[in-house]
Amino acid sequence: MKAHLEQFLADALAVLKANDVVPDDVSPTITISRTRDPSHGDYASNLAMILAKPAGRAPRDIAQAILDAAPLPSGVSKAELAGPGFINFFAEDDIQAAVVGQVLSAKEQYGLSDKGKGQRWQVEYVSANPTGPLHVGHGRGAALGATISNLLTAVGVEVDREYYVNDAGRQMDILAASVWLRYLEAHGHELVFPSNGYQGDYIADIAAKLVAEHGDAFVKPIAEVFKDVPADEAKDVNDKVVSGDKELHIDGLIAKAKSLLGGNSYRSVFDEAVNSVLDGIKADLEEFRVIYDSWFSEASIAGDVATCIDKLEAAGHIYEQDGAKVFRSTTFGDDKDRVVVRSNGLTTYFASDVAYINNKIERGYDKVLYLFGSDHHGYTERMYAACVALGHPREKLEFLLIQFANLFRNGERVQMSTRSGSFVTLKELYDEIGVDAARYFYVMRRYQQHLDFDLDLAKTQNKNNPVYYVQYAHARICSMQRELGHKNQTHDIEAGLASLALLDTAEEAELLTLLNKYPEVVEKAAFEHEPHQLTGYLRDLANGLHIYYAAHKALVDDAALRNARFCLLLAVKQVLVNGLSLIDVSTPEVM
């Protein structure tokens, strides 16, 4: 219906231009919106108000001219002027009810479209450094990234889901050094663990694997390990640093690990540490119903980093300062220039990102969508700068900056720190409340807003729990189907579709309106990257079902009415399944 109305307005606009009512160079975006109040019709347009100024006429005059310019499309019973110049359209009742047959015929395909057909996108999300298990903060990016990818696929976009594995660089060396020190402790050596090392229990678990697989092959004298290493940071009772440097200390220990172990042995420790953490991340995400098409290794583009830097240098975008190579990113809108090669010859983390951007775009994607934490807000401009400096359109990149998720238990916020090992893992979260609740809660708020994740609410089984409320609507319809069988009553779908005119209550009209709205919601949520629009819709549909259940009986003696009502219920059930599947949330039949 929206497409028919948009075409009607486009045809009317062409007539107004031909009659010199509207200047020929005016080309507004034609939009049709749903009305909130049924008394105002089913759809509305503000086109007349947009055209009024360039036409030099009152909006209501333009609105009337639009209605006079072309016949209303089939399925529209009437159109009315409203307010300062809105046009409200009323759909014929049988057109509204026809959606029931459409849903029951299309089944899981209902709501899908080809609006994005021909587009190829890459969506990168989570990409947490493999330095420890994923925590509840990572879960929001995982759920949002997976759901946005599902939504884009639902509207015809070809989507590649990718996890960028930061398996190179200093953080990985800190991880390897931390594991090696715990390995030495496991062999009875006493030491003061570095304040800047990774301290979670998982580090000791990885060290234990090294002991089991390699015995004492990597044991070195503890005195040699700490010899000439700069002192670690020391603080007073007020938590003020009074001596030492934790960064120099951990870097010294990394250097000792490499020199004492040698290349092959250090690599064994390094690979065991990284692979153990990465295997855990993969397992946790799979259990969380987050599946990737590719896991892209940072180490795999090590050779491309120098190539990209050379390319930037040849184009005049690199200069030297104090022995370092600096990318002139301010030329492209960044707030300051960025170092890509340090004075010691080592490339920066950003330099790898430059090569990764180039790699992505050269793979032929129409759009590269990044889901970053909101703490990366200062990082996006340098990414755009690198993209343009390498000769690619800025529009190829898009960033969603996701606000943090705060976990609350018993009304109190849970504090988290990956480095200290004090955090709630993603696995612990979904083991406690279930994957369904976790996936739903993570996406039910606008991603630009902070999410206060209430564990106690997520575990409740009543209408206050959003996911329970929606799932219960599905289970309630399943229950009515079972009750139908228990009463030896039958349900004839064809007869029901022929009797849809009997669905004449206000509650039935609301459900029909919501069913018609579903494809629009999917499309809008996909292209605006806002899964919360879908969860909001599912809440409204579930609410409509619960209200209908309280107001009317489906198991009536009148066979025609019973068949029509069960067709409506089955359509609602199907749309609940379709919508929840896009969030990767299940639809239980019994609750």
Side-chain angles (χ1 to χ4, degrees):
M1 179 56 69
K2 280 188 69 176
H4 290 314
L5 288 172
E6 287 170 356
Q7 187 60 53
F8 161 75
L9 292 175
D11 293 342
L13 177 58
V15 172
L16 296 187
K17 288 183 177 182
N19 294 334
D20 294 326
V21 176
V22 174
D24 194 56
D25 61 350
V26 175
S27 300
T29 299
I30 295 175
T31 58
I32 297 291
S33 60
R34 288 274 180 178
T35 58
R36 294 185 179 182
D37 186 343
S39 67
H40 295 162
D42 300 291
Y43 300 91
S45 173
N46 65 344
L47 179 61
M49 300 169 70
I50 296 173
L51 296 175
K53 185 174 181 179
R57 298 176 62 174
R60 288 182 67 91
D61 290 343
I62 295 292
Q64 188 60 56
I66 290 173
L67 295 178
D68 293 340
L72 292 173
S74 61
V76 178
S77 61
K78 64 177 180 177
E80 292 180 347
L81 303 187
F86 287 102
I87 304 176
N88 292 339
F89 299 94
F90 294 75
E92 294 177 354
D93 291 342
D94 59 340
I95 292 295
Q96 286 288 83
V99 70
V100 173
Q102 295 166 12
V103 174
L104 296 184
S105 174
K107 297 182 180 178
E108 66 275 2
Q109 299 297 309
Y110 182 70
L112 306 186
S113 77
D114 59 359
K115 194 71 176 285
K117 186 176 181 180
Q119 296 185 46
R120 185 165 172 252
W121 289 37
Q122 189 221 51
V123 184
E124 183 204 333
Y125 47 103
V126 185
S127 296
N129 289 346
T131 54
L134 297 179
H135 56 63
V136 295
H138 297 127
R140 192 177 193 192
L144 282 166
T147 303
I148 289 170
S149 297
N150 292 344
L151 285 165
L152 288 169
T153 300
V155 296
V157 177
E158 181 185 343
V159 178
D160 286 340
R161 301 155 172 84
E162 186 156 290
Y163 189 115
Y164 181 51
V165 182
N166 303 110
D167 53 0
R170 181 170 179 265
Q171 294 305 315
M172 297 304 100
D173 284 329
I174 294 176
L175 175 70
S178 299
V179 168
W180 183 53
L181 292 173
R182 291 302 188 199
Y183 166 88
L184 294 175
E185 285 185 329
H187 280 282
H189 292 284
E190 294 185 3
L191 57 91
V192 178
F193 199 80
S195 60
N196 213 24
Y198 288 101
Q199 303 184 37
D201 292 340
Y202 65 95
I203 298 296
D205 293 339
I206 299 171
K209 289 174 63 178
L210 276 178
V211 172
E213 295 173 9
H214 298 279
D216 62 357
F218 307 136
V219 173
K220 301 296 176 183
I222 204 68
E224 287 296 316
V225 173
F226 285 88
K227 183 180 179 181
D228 298 326
V229 171
D232 199 359
E233 179 178 277
K235 297 181 179 180
D236 60 18
V237 293
N238 297 316
D239 206 35
K240 181 180 179 180
V241 177
V242 293
S243 65
D245 188 312
K246 64 180 181 181
E247 303 294 348
L248 293 177
H249 183 66
I250 193 67
D251 285 344
L253 288 172
I254 291 170
K256 278 300 185 71
K258 291 179 177 180
S259 64
L260 291 175
L261 290 173
N264 291 336
S265 293
Y266 180 76
R267 192 71 214 181
S268 295
V269 174
F270 183 97
D271 288 346
E272 184 68 56
V274 174
N275 292 335
S276 292
V277 174
L278 190 57
D279 287 345
I281 288 173
K282 289 180 177 180
D284 289 351
L285 286 171
E286 184 173 349
E287 196 171 349
F288 195 49
R289 303 170 193 157
V290 175
I291 306 299
Y292 289 91
D293 298 302
S294 60
W295 294 75
F296 192 93
S297 165
E298 178 187 353
S300 71
I301 55 172
D304 297 337
V305 175
T307 301
C308 286
I309 292 173
D310 289 344
K311 184 177 180 179
L312 292 174
E313 196 163 15
H317 302 314
I318 299 288
Y319 63 91
E320 291 197 11
Q321 184 178 64
D322 299 327
K325 289 189 176 183
V326 185
F327 169 46
R328 206 183 305 272
S329 57
T330 51
T331 302
F332 305 96
D334 196 6
D335 60 344
K336 66 178 183 178
D337 294 339
R338 307 292 174 175
V339 175
V340 288
V341 181
R342 299 184 181 92
S343 57
N344 61 7
L346 297 177
T347 56
T348 62
Y349 184 90
F350 174 62
S352 295
D353 274 341
V354 172
Y356 186 40
I357 288 171
N358 195 60
N359 177 280
K360 285 186 177 193
I361 296 177
E362 289 188 344
R363 280 187 260 166
Y365 295 113
D366 297 294
K367 179 77 74 173
V368 173
L369 181 63
Y370 290 85
L371 276 72
F372 280 171
S374 60
D375 55 335
H376 284 66
H377 65 88
Y379 209 75
T380 57
E381 282 305 321
R382 74 188 74 169
M383 300 280 274
Y384 281 127
C387 178
V388 176
L390 288 167
H392 307 300
R394 177 186 172 98
E395 296 73 25
K396 287 278 187 179
L397 305 188
E398 185 174 354
F399 297 90
L400 303 185
L401 298 180
I402 302 168
Q403 286 293 340
F404 298 108
N406 301 314
L407 185 65
F408 284 81
R409 180 183 279 114
N410 299 323
E412 295 187 0
R413 181 175 172 180
V414 179
Q415 300 297 324
M416 294 184 294
S417 168
T418 306
R419 184 65 58 83
S420 70
S422 174
F423 58 86
V424 176
T425 67
L426 175 61
K427 180 172 175 55
E428 287 172 337
L429 174 70
Y430 62 69
D431 280 349
E432 180 176 348
I433 68 173
V435 173
D436 283 343
R439 287 294 301 261
Y440 195 95
F441 268 64
Y442 272 129
V443 302
M444 71 179 185
R445 294 282 182 269
R446 192 183 299 270
Y447 70 82
Q448 301 96 327
Q449 298 176 332
H450 284 281
L451 173 66
D452 289 339
F453 202 119
D454 188 335
L455 276 174
D456 303 310
L457 176 62
K459 290 186 288 186
T460 60
Q461 295 188 6
N462 58 45
K463 65 180 182 180
N464 294 322
N465 181 342
V467 64
Y468 181 90
Y469 189 66
V470 174
Q471 288 179 314
Y472 187 60
H474 178 270
R476 175 163 264 172
I477 296 172
C478 293
S479 176
M480 284 188 276
Q481 288 181 273
R482 291 191 296 271
E483 189 178 355
L484 182 71
H486 294 157
K487 291 190 174 183
N488 295 318
Q489 289 181 310
T490 59
H491 171 232
D492 187 321
I493 290 181
E494 288 191 15
L497 294 176
S499 304
L500 294 178
L502 297 175
L503 302 176
D504 57 3
T505 70
E507 293 80 10
E508 288 163 340
E510 174 64 13
L511 287 175
L512 291 171
T513 297
L514 286 166
L515 292 177
N516 275 289
K517 188 178 179 181
Y518 177 69
E520 303 165 25
V521 171
V522 172
E523 186 176 303
K524 198 165 182 285
F527 289 114
E528 294 181 3
H529 313 323
E530 293 187 336
H532 75 275
Q533 294 189 30
L534 177 58
T535 58
Y537 167 85
L538 292 172
R539 176 201 60 219
D540 291 343
L541 184 60
N543 187 57
L545 183 281
H546 293 312
I547 291 173
Y548 180 59
Y549 178 86
H552 304 285
K553 290 183 178 180
L555 298 172
V556 293
D557 293 332
D558 185 329
L561 181 59
R562 181 174 69 247
N563 287 330
R565 286 183 171 176
F566 261 91
C567 279
L568 174 61
L569 291 172
L570 291 177
V572 171
K573 175 185 172 184
Q574 183 66 62
V575 172
L576 287 169
V577 170
N578 293 359
L580 286 171
S581 69
L582 290 174
I583 315 170
D584 290 305
V585 171
S586 70
T587 47
E589 296 186 0
V590 178
M591 294 181 72

